Amino acid sequence: MADTGHVAKPIGIFDSGLGGLTVARAIRAALPAEDLVYLGDTARVPYGTRSAETVIKYAIGCAERLLSYDIKLLVVACNTASGVALGELEARLSIPVLGVIQPGAKAGVQATRSGRIGVLATSGTVASGAYERAIHSENSAMRVFAQAAPLFVPLAEEGWVTGAVPRLAAERYLQPLVEVDVDTIVLGCTHYPLLNETIHDVAAELLGHDVVVVDSAEATASALRETVDTGVAESGTAGELRILVTDLPGQFASSASRFLGKPVQGLDIQAIDL
Ligand code: DGL
């Protein structure tokens, strides 16, 4: 990847909606001095149930808009878009493009002891086979078991992340991964880190042994840290976070603060048209 250095240009991040704020949060923690421009395509979410052609078209639209902010690097925070549109974006853009799948895959390979890795993701990401390819590019001996977990998306948006309902959903989605006895589960969707605790606890109970749950948002932020020169980050200057959304849903503030892990008051939020 090209040397991006720390210059005044911001890092662009996009997702199908607000879920990618989990990635923005991890990036802010890893690179606090960097300015970030986050685009959430809230008017067209979800991407996870759409065809690859449609997701590629949407991803190009998001990337082109972010380029108008003179970004130095693009992070594709959406796993579904990373799964189907990364190659197309890399071919079109002259700046570095980082997806969330390869960092998540690498962290999964580093975590596993048994070589049996489960992946929870949207139907679109599972159908793309992107995690299998990414994990096998790290280590071809790994066994990968990908499972779509679509109900986790609305549960995370609703803030319904613990208790009987998410546990029941987790039991259903995890059963196929329990049957093949994985020891590591990669959260291959922007929304799933909010359910991390429930997913971990239910998986460990059903498996009868501990399991490592890998958050691809954290893994992406670590990968980004290796790319961007953090010299200025140590000076203590706080970077800015600007948020662009294609629709301003009524419950925007509560959803955004859940994904960001803090109240959104005082944030620069702007509604745009793509
Ligand atoms: N951002 C999507 C992902 O990470 C999840 C939500 C959606 O389906 O758009 O795959």
Side-chain angles (χ1 to χ4, degrees), residues 63-101:
E64 282 176 350
R65 174 54 68 97
L66 283 170
L67 285 179
S68 71
Y69 290 82
D70 198 22
I71 56 171
K72 62 181 171 186
L73 182 147
L74 177 68
V75 178
V76 182
C78 179
N79 285 258
T80 310
S82 295
V84 301
L86 201 66
E88 183 70 34
L89 293 173
E90 281 170 342
R92 281 173 178 257
L93 272 53
S94 55
I95 55 169
V97 181
L98 180 69
V100 284
I101 291 186

Side-chain angles (χ1 to χ4, degrees), residues 15-20 22 45-46 77 79 122 152-158 161 187-196 199 259:
D15 178 41
S16 55
L18 297 178
T22 55
V45 67
N79 285 258
T122 65
F152 284 163
V153 172
L155 285 170
E157 276 175 14
E158 195 64 32
V161 295
L187 302 182
C189 174
T190 51
H191 287 59
Y192 301 175
L194 271 68
L195 289 131
N196 195 328
I199 292 168
F259 286 106

Side-chain angles (χ1 to χ4, degrees), residues 1-256:
M1 198 174 266
D3 174 30
T4 52
H6 180 102
V7 289
K9 291 181 177 187
I11 293 172
I13 306 170
F14 82 87
D15 178 41
S16 55
L18 297 178
L21 286 171
T22 55
V23 180
R25 175 172 66 176
I27 292 173
R28 269 173 88 70
L31 293 164
E34 296 292 333
D35 291 334
L36 309 180
V37 185
Y38 178 91
L39 195 167
D41 194 3
T42 43
R44 299 189 292 197
V45 67
Y47 284 9
T49 51
R50 300 189 197 281
S51 69
E53 292 70 30
T54 298
V55 175
I56 291 171
K57 198 168 66 187
Y58 288 176
I60 291 169
C62 291
E64 282 176 350
R65 174 54 68 97
L66 283 170
L67 285 179
S68 71
Y69 290 82
D70 198 22
I71 56 171
K72 62 181 171 186
L73 182 147
L74 177 68
V75 178
V76 182
C78 179
N79 285 258
T80 310
S82 295
V84 301
L86 201 66
E88 183 70 34
L89 293 173
E90 281 170 342
R92 281 173 178 257
L93 272 53
S94 55
I95 55 169
V97 181
L98 180 69
V100 284
I101 291 186
Q102 199 67 41
K106 188 174 176 186
V109 170
Q110 282 166 351
T112 186
R113 293 286 159 266
S114 68
R116 305 171 80 78
I117 303 175
V119 176
L120 294 172
T122 65
S123 312
T125 302
V126 172
S128 76
Y131 269 98
E132 284 89 337
R133 281 195 297 280
I135 289 171
H136 287 144
S137 77
E138 298 288 336
N139 183 335
S140 59
M142 294 288 125
R143 303 284 309 277
V144 188
F145 307 91
Q147 170 67 38
L151 283 181
F152 284 163
V153 172
L155 285 170
E157 276 175 14
E158 195 64 32
W160 204 347
V161 295
T162 54
V165 173
R167 277 189 69 88
L168 205 59
E171 278 166 22
R172 281 283 185 98
Y173 292 143
L174 289 166
Q175 196 54 48
L177 304 183
V178 169
E179 279 163 21
V180 292
D181 197 28
V182 299
D183 74 345
T184 301
I185 296 172
V186 178
L187 302 182
C189 174
T190 51
H191 287 59
Y192 301 175
L194 271 68
L195 289 131
N196 195 328
E197 196 184 315
T198 296
I199 292 168
H200 173 269
D201 292 353
V202 171
E205 274 167 40
L206 295 178
L207 283 162
H209 58 74
D210 200 17
V211 60
V212 179
V213 176
V214 173
D215 178 345
S216 59
E218 297 287 344
T220 302
S222 305
L224 191 58
R225 195 179 180 140
E226 285 163 25
T227 305
V228 176
D229 173 7
T230 56
V232 182
E234 269 124 44
S235 74
T237 343
E240 282 174 6
L241 171 63
R242 168 185 281 193
I243 299 178
L244 313 172
V245 285
T246 50
D247 189 20
L248 252 182
Q251 77 293 6
F252 177 85
S254 58
S255 303

